Amino acid sequence: MFSKGDKINDRYEIIKLIGEGGMANVYLAYDTILERNVAVKVLRGDLADDEKFVRRFQREALSASSLSHPNIVEMYDVGEDNGNFYIVMEYIDGQTLKQLIKKRGHLTVPEAIDIMLQLTDGLAHAHDSYIIHRDIKPQNIMIEDNGRIKIADFGIAMALNSTQLTQTNSVMGSVHYLPPEQANGKGSTVKSDIYSLGILMYELLTGSVPFKGDTAVEIALKHMKEKIPSVRKQNPTIPQSVENIILKATAKNPKNRYNNVRELHDDLKTALDKDRANEKRSYADETA
């Protein structure tokens, strides 16, 4: 752990600890060279001791640092100082979507669609650069006071996904958004991110995740086998066109999901149009 006034790499002066997680501690720091506040994420314990993971983390973080989009947290630097592996990012003065959902319970339909449009815009940019996030969840998404959404943790998410991760809290946090193909041990594609987005949209509208359980395995099995509950049963004011987007994004078979994030983005744009008001319920896995 670092304390106020400590310097990382003789450049980033620690102001305060702003977050603790199973994978990393996050500090607000001052970049003494570029004279600006930054967020510094320092890998914790056994992850930093895993040489294979560290190499992959550094590679993935560098790859993600090429992304430049208003809805993606910008990565500035990645390095190591006295055995501490760190990543330096844009500092976002806001809260995570998870914190917002906990505070509010659930969001209105227009709010959820606005957030989803920003998320899909940012992810489409990443996918265009052949970068899949692989760990989309509200804990990894920041919202600023002005409502702007920022997707975080690209480098860490990509590296973690290909490492045997044993930290229960990290797995439990992610398993609620886990695509069936990932639960099955198959590789991730852009459609894996689409599934996680669908689960996230469900949570924005209802205030809870669709599949719960006492263990990560139990939840993963539900993603593979159980139908997603109806958001309209919980809140009948949600239009069918909006529920249909969730159903298509979270199809068990990736072939039945949107072909890409832009397709999902375009569907979201027209979800509240009057001509879609009487749309029929469409369950992607059944219609394909």
Side-chain angles (χ1 to χ4, degrees):
M1 295 281 278
F2 290 93
S3 306
K4 186 178 188 310
D6 288 349
K7 270 193 186 169
I8 295 176
N9 204 19
D10 209 26
R11 173 174 179 177
Y12 305 107
E13 188 173 328
I14 301 296
I15 297 171
K16 63 178 179 180
L17 177 71
I18 52 175
E20 289 182 83
M23 300 177 297
N25 289 326
V26 189
Y27 299 89
L28 170 62
Y30 182 69
D31 181 342
T32 55
I33 293 177
L34 293 178
E35 300 184 340
R36 63 183 175 187
N37 283 348
V38 293
V40 181
K41 192 162 269 204
V42 182
L43 286 186
R44 290 180 67 163
D46 50 348
L47 284 181
D49 294 336
D50 181 341
E51 204 178 313
K52 196 174 167 191
F53 170 78
V54 166
R55 274 203 310 271
R56 182 166 186 98
F57 161 69
Q58 290 176 315
R59 192 166 69 241
E60 299 288 17
L62 284 169
S63 142
S65 67
S66 64
L67 296 175
S68 181
H69 188 278
N71 297 119
I72 294 176
V73 172
E74 208 170 332
M75 280 197 210
Y76 299 141
D77 189 14
V78 58
E80 182 252 338
D81 184 20
N82 284 330
N84 292 300
F85 294 91
Y86 64 86
I87 183 167
V88 182
M89 304 170 293
E90 171 187 9
Y91 170 63
I92 307 296
D93 191 8
Q95 58 186 329
T96 68
L97 268 190
K98 195 70 173 177
Q99 289 166 324
L100 179 68
I101 294 165
K102 274 187 179 163
K103 242 182 243 174
R104 292 274 307 276
H106 65 85
L107 308 188
T108 66
V109 172
E111 283 172 332
I113 286 178
D114 174 57
I115 287 169
M116 291 300 298
L117 283 169
Q118 293 185 64
L119 280 175
T120 48
D121 205 34
L123 268 181
H125 173 74
H127 290 175
D128 287 347
S129 303
Y130 305 102
I131 291 175
I132 303 166
H133 190 287
R134 298 191 182 101
D135 194 20
I136 290 292
K137 57 185 178 185
Q139 295 92 322
N140 283 342
I141 294 155
M142 304 293 297
I143 181 163
E144 296 179 298
D145 292 342
N146 62 7
R148 180 183 279 180
I149 292 296
K150 294 269 192 178
I151 307 166
D153 277 358
F154 267 95
I156 287 185
M158 290 186 292
L160 272 178
N161 200 258
S162 45
T163 305
Q164 287 305 309
L165 184 63
T166 52
Q167 279 102 330
T168 313
N169 54 353
S170 301
V171 173
M172 283 302 280
S174 301
V175 77
H176 290 109
Y177 312 89
L178 189 72
E181 63 273 19
Q182 268 179 261
N184 238 333
K186 292 177 185 157
S188 307
T189 67
V190 294
K191 294 196 174 192
S192 310
D193 278 353
I194 289 171
Y195 181 91
S196 300
L197 283 172
I199 299 290
L200 176 59
M201 187 173 173
Y202 178 102
E203 187 177 3
L204 290 172
L205 291 167
T206 65
S208 67
V209 289
F211 303 121
K212 293 175 182 166
D214 294 329
T215 66
V217 171
E218 190 185 335
I219 299 166
L221 284 170
K222 287 183 178 179
H223 280 289
M224 290 160 69
K225 295 181 174 168
E226 288 188 14
K227 277 188 183 180
I228 192 164
S230 166
V231 289
R232 297 196 73 230
K233 270 192 184 153
Q234 295 175 67
N235 181 354
T237 65
I238 294 171
Q240 187 60 60
S241 54
V242 171
E243 177 170 68
N244 285 346
I245 291 174
I246 293 172
L247 292 173
K248 187 167 182 179
T250 60
K252 304 290 182 202
N253 185 341
K255 286 181 185 167
N256 298 340
R257 293 176 207 153
Y258 293 94
N259 290 315
N260 52 60
V261 181
R262 288 201 193 283
E263 210 176 87
L264 168 55
H265 182 83
D266 291 343
D267 207 4
L268 284 160
K269 278 200 288 197
T270 64
L272 300 181
D273 287 3
K274 280 182 185 153
D275 60 353
R276 293 186 66 181
N278 300 314
E279 208 167 274
K280 286 198 173 85
R281 190 173 199 271
S282 133
Y283 197 76
D285 281 323
E286 288 168 0
T287 54

